[in-house]
Amino acid sequence: MDENKCILLLEKHGIKPTSNRIVIAKSLAACENPVSMKELEDQIITIDKSNIFRTLTLFRDNHLVHTVEDGAGGTKYELCFSKSIETDEDEHMHFFCERCHKTFCLYDMPIPDLCIPLGYQMHSVNFMIKGLCPKCSKKKQ
Ligand SMILES: [Zn+2]
Ligand SMILES: [Zn+2]
């Protein structure tokens, strides 16, 4: 994603595009899969840890990133491609590889229809499939 696109994206989500925020949004956009704080830190050596964390929290509050619970008890972050800035409507399934610990977005898989019992109000749902990714399952054989 180029810089102008990043700025537009930030503004669309009501976030003031400071240079640090642009850098962080850009790195997130460059990631194919959801990344952990640690992975982001390793990518962005020019911005300190607490700043990255604060920015991610801000992004999340403004629905610019989703947080994904990974299969190992950690949190991963991904840019949200929802058209609405109010909701996370691009929710999709995730796959956690138990061997390489990568989390993958499965955009093409339909989300199952959920019939939750009367009286419960659903705000978000977390679909996580665990197993081996194509690369790792090949290695096993
Ligand atoms: Zn794997
Ligand atoms: Zn995803």
Side-chain angles (χ1 to χ4, degrees), residues 34 66 68 78 92-94 104-107:
H66 292 305
V68 180
E78 65 178 357
H92 47 268
M93 305 267 242
H94 287 106
F104 301 89
C105 297
L106 305 179
Y107 290 108

Side-chain angles (χ1 to χ4, degrees), residues 20-21 23-24 27-28 36-59 77:
N20 277 355
R21 288 170 185 168
V23 170
I24 294 169
S27 332
L28 276 170
S36 65
M37 242 318 266
K38 178 83 183 58
E39 287 170 292
L40 260 190
E41 276 166 41
D42 292 344
Q43 268 184 51
I44 312 170
I45 42 166
T46 49
I47 304 172
D48 72 79
K49 238 169 129 166
S50 58
N51 208 326
I52 296 177
F53 186 73
R54 269 203 311 274
T55 306
L56 285 175
T57 308
L58 175 82
F59 284 1
Y77 300 85

Side-chain angles (χ1 to χ4, degrees), residues 2 12 15 23 26 30 52 56 58 68 72 79 91 95 98 106 112 114-115 119 122 135 137:
D2 64 35
K12 208 182 115 197
I15 301 163
V23 170
K26 247 176 148 170
I52 296 177
L56 285 175
L58 175 82
V68 180
L79 270 196
E91 254 163 8
F95 190 98
E98 289 168 327
L106 305 179
L114 295 178
C115 293
M122 186 168 77
K135 234 179 166 174
S137 61

Side-chain angles (χ1 to χ4, degrees), residues 79-126:
L79 270 196
C80 171
F81 294 103
S82 158
K83 280 163 222 83
S84 155
I85 57 162
E86 300 292 320
T87 59
D88 293 340
E89 67 173 35
D90 84 330
E91 254 163 8
H92 47 268
M93 305 267 242
H94 287 106
F95 190 98
F96 178 73
C97 175
E98 289 168 327
R99 183 166 293 182
C100 67
H101 291 184
K102 276 196 185 121
T103 305
F104 301 89
C105 297
L106 305 179
Y107 290 108
D108 296 333
M109 240 181 116
I111 294 232
D113 257 329
L114 295 178
C115 293
I116 52 168
L118 210 67
Y120 291 93
Q121 212 182 66
M122 186 168 77
H123 286 157
S124 70
V125 57
N126 186 14

